[in-house]
Amino acid sequence: MTSVALGPRYREDALRGLAETEFDVLVVGGGIVGAGAALDAISRGLSVALVEARDWAAGTSGRSSKLIHGGLRYLERREFGLVREALRERGLLLHRLAPHLVRPVRFLYPLRNRVWERAYVSAGVTLYDTMGGSRALPRHRQLTRRGALRQAPALRADALVGAVQYYDAQVDDARYTMTVARTAAQYGAKAVTRAEVTGFLREGERVTGATVVDLEGGREIAVRARRVVCATGVWTDGAQAMTGSRAVFGVRASKGVHIVVPRDRIPMDTGLITRTSRSVLFVIPWGRHWLVGTTDTPHDGGPDEPVADHTDVGYLLDQANAVLRTPLTHDDIEGVYAGLRPLLSGELDDTARLSREHAVAEPVPGLVVVTGGKFTTYRVMARDAVDVVAEGLDASVPASVTERLPVLGATGFEVLWNERRRLAAESGLHVARIEHLLHRYGSCAREVLDLVAGRPALGAPVPGAEDYLCAEAVYAVTHEGALHLEDVLARRLRVAIEEWDGGVAAASRVAELVAPILGWDEEGISDEVKRYVRRTAEERRGGAAVAEAA
C-alpha cells in the first residue's frame, strides 16, 4: 500500500473536506496525544478531522527528553500503576507498533553508598524489569566501580562506589508524533497543520464543532463534528476558556530544559541517570551528541516558545560536572531547547512532585478534554479520550485497536533492515546512510530512495547539516506535511538542536530545495531564511550558551 503524502495538494483537499463534512470527531491539538486520538478514532471506524495551530509536535511533544520509559523515580512515590502502564506501552512500541522509531538504550545508575543504596536501587530496578514483561529488554546488571568506569570513563572515580546498569528506550519525539498523525491520515483522517481553532460552534449547550482559521490562506472554516476532543496540553486552560464554562481541572506547566553537547565531550558507552537535589539528571545518547537534562521548574509565562535562561543552563552544567571527570563548559554546548510539561494542577508548589497521571473529562456536552500524562503513555490517553467520545455517540463504536496497529513505516521494516546492504548497492549510498534512513522512515525509506533515484543530486548531504540527505528535506514537504523552513530544520530533521549554528548554514540550501514544491519565489526564500535565523537567535538567546546565529 502506497503511503499517504501530506504534501500541499493533500492539505488543500483536507481543508475542503473540513468545510464540507460533518465529522464524528474533531481533534484539536497536533501533539502526540492529539495525533494518537485521531488514529484511535479513525481506526474504530469513525470519521475524523485533526487540526493543529502550528506544526506537528511544535510544542511539548517535540521538546521532551526523547525517552520511552516507565520512570524509575515514580516507583519511589509508589505510583506503581503509572509505571506498569508505561512499561507495557514501552514494550508495545519497541516490538510491535514502531520498531523503526523506538530503540533500546542502556543506562548507568551510579551508586554512592556501598550497602543500603545498592539494595534499595536493585529492588526498584528488579521491580522495573518485572513490570516491563519478560524479555522486553535485557535485565539489569550490578557493576563494581571498576566495571562502571570501564563503560563510563568520563565519570569521576569519587562520584560512585559501583553502579546498576539497566535498559529503557528512546525515540525522536517530533518524528514519531508526525508519523502517528500521518498514519491517521493514511486511514482517512483529515489532518491539517497551521489551522487554528478560534472558537467552538454551539447548539444550545452542546459543542458541535469549531471555527478554524487556515493560517496559511486566511480562510475561516466552520468545522462541524458530533464530538470535539481537546488535546492541547499546556494550552488546555485557554481552550477550556473558549467554552465560557468553568474548567473541570487546571493544568500547570513545568519547564524542562536540555542542552546538547558533542559525543566526544563525554567519553561513555552508555547513557547515565543520576539523582540531583531537585529531580534526576539524564545524559542520553543521541547520534553524534548527548542530550543532558532536565530541569523541572514551574513556568508562569505563556505556553508559546518557552526559552531556557542562564539559570537553567547553569544548573544543568553544575549537575553534570558534579559527576564528570572533565567538566563541561558553555563552549561545549551545541544546542539548547526548552519544553513545557502539562501537569494536572494541585496544591503542591513543586512541579517535580506533581503526578504524571492523565485525566479525561467532558466539561460541556460534546467536548472531551484530555490532559496530563506523559509521552510514553500517549496511546492510553488517546484510547481513554475516544472511549468517552464513544459513550456519547448513538451507534455502537468498536473498542480501541491501536495496541495492534503499527504506525506507518513499521510493517516491513525488519525485512528492509536485513536487506540494507542490497539497498545500499542499488542506491549508490553507503550502508550507514541506509541504516540512518531506515531508523527514521522504516519501510517508507523506499520513498526517500525513489527521490534519489529520480534526482541523484538529492543523494548528497545537506550542506551545513551533513548527517541528512537533501532528499530528506524534500520528502519533509512532499510527504510529511512541512510547510515552513522551521518545520523542516527543527522537527523533520533535528538540525536546529544538533548543529553549532542551529542549522543556519543549512537554511538557504534547504529553502532552495523545497521552494518549488511550496511555491516560494526568491523573496519567499529570503523571508523564510530570515525568519528561521531570527527564530534560532531567539531560541538560543535565553541560555546564552552558544553564539547567536544571526
Side-chain angles (χ1 to χ4, degrees):
M1 180 172 61
T2 302
S3 68
V4 65
L6 302 188
R9 179 176 296 179
Y10 169 89
R11 188 174 188 275
E12 287 302 314
D13 291 344
L15 286 169
R16 189 161 46 250
L18 293 185
E20 297 173 353
T21 309
E22 181 181 23
F23 296 91
D24 292 323
V25 185
L26 167 63
V27 180
V28 181
I32 187 58
V33 178
L39 179 57
D40 190 285
I42 197 73
S43 62
R44 298 196 201 196
L46 301 174
S47 58
V48 177
L50 169 63
V51 296
E52 158 60 37
R54 297 190 292 171
D55 182 29
W56 308 126
T60 300
S61 295
R63 297 165 174 262
S64 75
S65 294
K66 309 183 192 328
L67 291 176
I68 298 295
H69 65 139
L72 271 178
R73 57 178 167 161
Y74 303 141
L75 288 178
E76 289 190 49
R77 304 175 197 163
R78 294 182 172 84
E79 296 185 76
F80 300 119
L82 176 63
V83 176
R84 183 180 294 107
E85 180 178 81
L87 290 176
R88 180 177 184 274
E89 293 302 307
R90 184 191 70 179
L92 287 173
L93 290 164
L94 276 165
H95 302 299
R96 182 184 300 172
L97 304 185
H100 57 310
L101 295 173
V102 180
R103 293 186 291 281
V105 60
R106 188 175 59 192
F107 281 99
L108 201 68
Y109 188 108
L111 302 171
R112 294 182 173 87
N113 295 278
R114 292 189 179 279
V115 180
W116 70 267
E117 189 182 20
R118 186 179 289 278
Y120 178 72
V121 173
S122 296
V125 178
T126 298
L127 187 59
Y128 200 73
D129 286 341
T130 304
M131 286 180 170
S134 61
R135 296 185 299 278
L137 284 174
R139 299 180 71 84
H140 78 277
R141 295 174 55 210
Q142 300 286 340
L143 298 177
T144 63
R145 175 160 59 186
R146 179 177 296 178
L149 292 175
R150 190 177 300 119
Q151 293 192 26
L155 297 182
R156 289 170 35 188
D158 61 355
L160 72 165
V161 297
V164 174
Q165 180 188 88
Y166 76 100
Y167 285 79
D168 254 320
Q170 68 178 162
V171 68
D172 183 331
D173 48 6
R175 169 154 292 280
Y176 186 80
T177 300
M178 177 276 299
T179 302
V180 174
R182 193 176 163 200
T183 307
Q186 179 80 16
Y187 288 104
K190 304 299 183 185
V192 183
T193 59
R194 311 288 174 182
E196 182 178 9
V197 169
T198 57
F200 292 114
L201 304 179
R202 305 289 284 264
E203 290 291 341
E205 293 184 359
R206 177 169 292 279
V207 170
T208 58
T211 301
V212 175
V213 176
D214 170 17
L215 298 180
E216 296 296 293
R219 178 185 177 192
E220 186 175 273
I221 304 171
V223 183
R224 294 169 294 125
R226 299 170 67 194
R227 291 292 184 277
V228 176
V229 173
C230 176
T232 52
V234 292
W235 288 267
T236 296
D237 288 350
Q240 288 186 111
M242 285 194 291
T243 67
S245 303
R246 183 177 179 180
V248 293
F249 43 65
V251 174
R252 292 182 61 183
S254 167
K255 185 170 71 170
V257 172
H258 295 77
I259 59 176
V260 185
V261 301
R263 195 69 175 265
D264 62 5
R265 297 299 193 273
I266 307 177
M268 292 194 301
D269 295 327
T270 174
L272 178 73
I273 175 175
T274 184
R275 185 188 301 275
T276 72
S277 59
R278 299 182 196 173
S279 183
V280 295
L281 178 80
F282 287 106
V283 181
I284 305 165
W286 181 258
R288 297 185 298 105
H289 319 269
W290 294 103
L291 305 181
V292 181
T294 176
T295 61
D296 199 339
T297 55
H299 178 75
D300 298 322
D304 295 332
E305 301 297 339
V307 175
D309 58 30
H310 295 274
T311 302
D312 297 322
V313 173
Y315 168 79
L316 292 176
L317 288 175
D318 289 345
Q319 297 304 317
N321 290 339
V323 297
L324 294 178
R325 187 187 302 270
T326 303
L328 296 173
T329 71
H330 284 274
D331 291 337
D332 294 320
I333 299 176
E334 297 172 289
V336 181
Y337 66 93
L340 299 179
R341 308 178 189 92
L343 307 178
L344 297 177
S345 62
E347 300 301 320
L348 296 173
D349 290 329
D350 183 1
T351 55
R353 294 170 56 201
L354 289 177
S355 175
R356 263 54 171 183
E357 295 280 5
H358 68 272
V360 181
E362 191 169 2
V364 296
L367 177 67
V368 174
V369 179
V370 54
T371 194
K374 50 189 287 187
F375 195 106
T376 304
T377 56
Y378 84 91
R379 194 195 63 81
V380 177
M381 298 172 65
R383 179 199 66 197
D384 291 352
V386 179
D387 280 347
V388 174
V389 166
E391 291 172 2
L393 296 177
D394 298 333
S396 175
V397 178
S400 176
V401 299
T402 52
E403 72 173 58
R404 301 184 299 278
L405 184 61
V407 302
L408 202 62
T411 302
F413 161 67
E414 290 88 350
V415 175
L416 289 183
W417 181 259
N418 292 338
E419 295 179 345
R420 61 192 184 276
R421 296 192 181 280
R422 180 178 61 79
L423 291 174
E426 290 177 354
S427 65
L429 298 174
H430 192 281
V431 68
R433 291 287 186 184
I434 299 298
E435 292 174 351
H436 161 89
L437 294 176
L438 289 172
H439 276 312
R440 287 172 50 76
Y441 305 94
S443 56
C444 292
R446 283 191 180 278
E447 296 170 346
V448 182
L449 293 174
D450 286 344
L451 291 176
V452 175
R455 290 174 58 191
L458 295 181
V462 175
E466 283 76 10
D467 285 352
Y468 301 95
L469 299 179
C470 291
E472 296 182 77
V474 172
Y475 190 81
V477 299
T478 58
H479 287 70
E480 296 180 339
L483 295 174
H484 291 279
L485 189 57
E486 178 189 343
D487 300 344
V488 178
L489 294 177
R491 286 174 290 277
R492 304 307 184 277
L493 318 183
R494 300 318 296 264
V495 177
I497 63 171
E498 293 174 351
E499 296 294 334
W500 289 98
D501 66 351
V504 169
S508 293
R509 177 56 179 149
V510 170
E512 292 168 357
L513 284 168
V514 304
I517 306 160
L518 295 174
W520 301 342
D521 56 16
E522 289 298 323
E523 183 179 358
I525 292 173
S526 177
D527 288 345
E528 284 286 332
V529 172
K530 289 178 181 176
R531 190 179 303 121
Y532 183 76
V533 170
R534 183 168 60 251
R535 174 255 183 207
T536 301
E538 291 171 352
E539 179 87 3
R540 294 175 170 227
R541 183 175 293 122
V546 291
E548 282 190 12

